[in-house]
Structure formats: C-alpha cells, structure tokens
Amino acid sequence: MVNIKKTEQTKANLLTAVHFLISKGERVSVSAITKRAKLAYGTFYRYFKDLDEVYYQAIEISLVQLSVKLERDLATIKPAPLRIYLTWYL
C-alpha cells in the first residue's frame, strides 16, 4: 500500500469528487464537492481558493491521464510509420 499523507489524500478526494460530479453532469459547487467527498464545507478552502482553481487542477489531472493512456495506446500500433503518422496527426 502506498503511504500517502492525509492532506494529499483529502485533496485527492476533493478532486475525485469534482471528476465524479462533472462526469455525471451534476451541478458543481463547493457544497456538492464536499458532500460527495464526505468532508466538511470549510475543508475545500484549505486546498483551493475557489471553484476556478479546483477546475484548473481537475483539468490538468485529466490531461495528464489522457496523455499517459494515449502514449500507452500508441506504443501498441504497428507498423512504426503508422504510429509516427498518428502521433503527428494528433
């Protein structure tokens, strides 16, 4: 098991809640985020100054995850020239 500090886990829980709410098409608010993460309302403001900041970080995480998946998927494409073309195209 990975040893994660409680503060890092709490922030991750908040970001996970944001991803969940967005993926379900639900209204995203500080109240909805903290309720989904099962945390106190004020906890949100220990980690983020406002909703814009949490959106920015959630988008950044999503882009990193997407790029890792894309890199993994591209590695399976044969022949290599096709992989190069697809990489250029993207």
Side-chain angles (χ1 to χ4, degrees):
M1 185 168 133
V2 178
N3 185 14
I4 300 175
K5 291 182 181 178
K6 185 177 178 181
T7 56
E8 293 171 358
Q9 185 61 53
T10 300
K11 186 173 184 177
N13 289 345
L14 290 165
L15 288 165
T16 300
V18 171
H19 280 280
F20 177 83
L21 293 169
I22 291 171
S23 71
K24 296 298 181 186
E26 296 182 19
R27 184 173 171 267
V28 179
S29 65
V30 174
S31 180
I33 293 167
T34 54
K35 184 177 180 181
R36 177 72 193 166
K38 297 179 182 166
L39 297 167
Y41 183 90
T43 303
F44 177 89
Y45 291 102
R46 283 192 201 147
Y47 298 92
F48 306 102
K49 66 179 182 176
D50 55 23
L51 284 174
D52 287 340
E53 185 177 1
V54 77
Y55 279 135
Y56 176 79
Q57 288 191 27
I59 290 168
E60 185 177 32
I61 290 168
S62 293
L63 289 173
V64 168
Q65 290 171 343
L66 182 61
S67 68
V68 168
K69 181 184 181 325
L70 182 61
E71 182 179 9
R72 192 174 36 236
D73 291 348
L74 281 173
T76 65
I77 295 174
K78 305 273 189 262
L82 179 58
R83 185 171 48 244
I84 292 167
Y85 172 76
L86 287 173
T87 303
W88 173 82
Y89 181 76
L90 294 172

